[in-house]
Amino acid sequence: MTITFDNITMEEAVGTAMGHIAARSRCRVVTPNAEFALEAKKNPRFLNILNTSQLVLADGISVVLASKIIGDRMVGRVTGVGFAQALAAAMAQEGKSLFLLGAKPGVAEKAAQKLQETYPGLKIAGTHDGYFKEEGPVVEAINAAHPDALLVCLGAPKQEYFMETHDAELEVPVMAGLGGSMDVLAGNVQRAPEFFQKYGLEWLYRLVKEPQRWRRMIKLPLYLLDAVAWRIRGGK
Ligand code: UDP
């Protein structure tokens, strides 16, 4: 069993999400990377959440590279941060509202402020940090704010579990699990310079900035190796 990605562009992904907002139908968005793939291999619940999501975006160069090895080329990457920004821009044009959930106290508020400055017309329905003990009151707060879309930035697989567990209760058309994106949207964590982004070397930039991440990053080539093995086995 493997993760099945949507082979779509950023514009198509945002178009799909906006369509769900208009129709008031559920659109769960996930952004699996190499670490997700390794977790999904040993965690059937997690894999099932990913594969039953309406949008499965290829965040991370490892997914694109793996797809090339398999011979099944992806159209391109749709990063979580990029998706959040493009969605905010489209929502701003239609005066839609966004709820920001996750990261340390104060970060979601800062991200909200930055998004509103960048995309005038965007409504912020509410914010909540990602360090809560009980989920019930958080779900209630989200529903009381009536957002059109919800960003869930709790890290994986916590954010995917949150979205699945409260799927029926949450009255929000679009919900997207976006990991560390809130810190980037708030300006607390810088994205790699354009050069690194263009050549798919964000992992290298991040490794230089945060050398302690090597343990997590070692999983990147492991994911690629797994994709090769998958092709040799003839699976698709
Ligand atoms: N986080 C959170 N609640 C938690 C654990 C993590 O809100 O209980 C936040 C954390 O502050 C960070 C994000 O979730 O903003 C996860 O970041 P990480 O870099 O681990 O995720 P990635 O993007 O690598 O999946």
Side-chain angles (χ1 to χ4, degrees):
M1 260 314 266
T2 189
I3 303 168
T4 308
F5 287 91
D6 284 309
N7 195 8
I8 55 172
T9 63
M10 178 74 82
E11 289 70 31
E12 289 167 337
V14 171
T16 299
M18 291 303 288
H20 281 276
I21 290 179
R24 307 296 299 171
S25 58
R26 170 56 43 78
C27 179
R28 184 168 68 220
V29 187
V30 291
T31 56
N33 58 26
E35 291 179 70
F36 279 57
L38 291 177
E39 175 68 25
K41 265 183 86 151
K42 55 178 199 247
N43 183 340
R45 179 184 172 196
F46 185 51
L47 177 65
N48 184 55
I49 298 172
L50 298 179
N51 280 342
T52 55
S53 294
Q54 283 70 26
L55 277 177
V56 187
L57 305 178
D59 183 355
I61 196 69
S62 55
V63 177
V64 178
L65 285 178
S67 85
K68 283 185 184 161
I69 293 168
I70 295 160
D72 216 10
R73 282 170 186 252
M74 299 288 302
V75 169
R77 289 174 70 185
V78 182
T79 65
V81 178
F83 176 75
Q85 289 166 332
L87 181 66
M91 288 176 69
Q93 299 230 319
E94 297 186 19
K96 301 292 184 193
S97 69
L98 186 61
F99 194 106
L100 304 179
L101 169 66
K104 299 207 173 99
V107 179
E109 286 83 347
K110 208 172 152 192
Q113 199 188 339
K114 291 226 161 184
L115 284 171
Q116 276 190 312
E117 279 165 20
T118 315
Y119 309 106
L122 177 71
K123 295 198 180 101
I124 298 295
T127 58
H128 199 293
D129 70 79
Y131 296 85
F132 43 86
K133 287 209 175 67
E134 283 180 54
E135 298 187 349
V138 178
V139 173
E140 279 172 30
I142 294 165
N143 282 341
H146 302 294
D148 296 299
L150 168 70
L151 305 189
V152 191
C153 300
L154 306 172
K158 200 171 177 182
Q159 63 204 12
E160 286 74 23
Y161 287 164
F162 181 89
M163 292 192 287
E164 185 213 42
T165 305
H166 304 291
D167 186 76
E169 299 153 76
L170 280 166
E171 296 154 8
V172 190
V174 175
M175 50 177 89
L178 298 178
S181 300
M182 196 76 81
D183 297 302
V184 179
L185 294 173
N188 291 356
V189 171
Q190 305 296 323
R191 276 198 80 178
E194 222 159 276
F195 169 84
F196 290 88
Q197 289 188 38
K198 189 169 168 203
Y199 292 101
L201 294 172
E202 278 157 304
W203 59 272
L204 178 63
Y205 180 78
R206 222 169 161 184
L207 187 60
V208 173
K209 290 275 244 191
E210 302 169 61
Q212 72 279 9
R213 289 185 76 97
W214 74 269
R215 267 181 212 283
R216 288 179 68 176
M217 286 195 172
I218 198 115
K219 293 177 178 176
L220 250 142
L222 281 179
Y223 176 61
L224 286 173
L225 282 179
D226 197 46
V228 179
W230 181 43
R231 181 173 66 161
I232 291 166
R233 282 198 305 269
K236 193 191 162 184

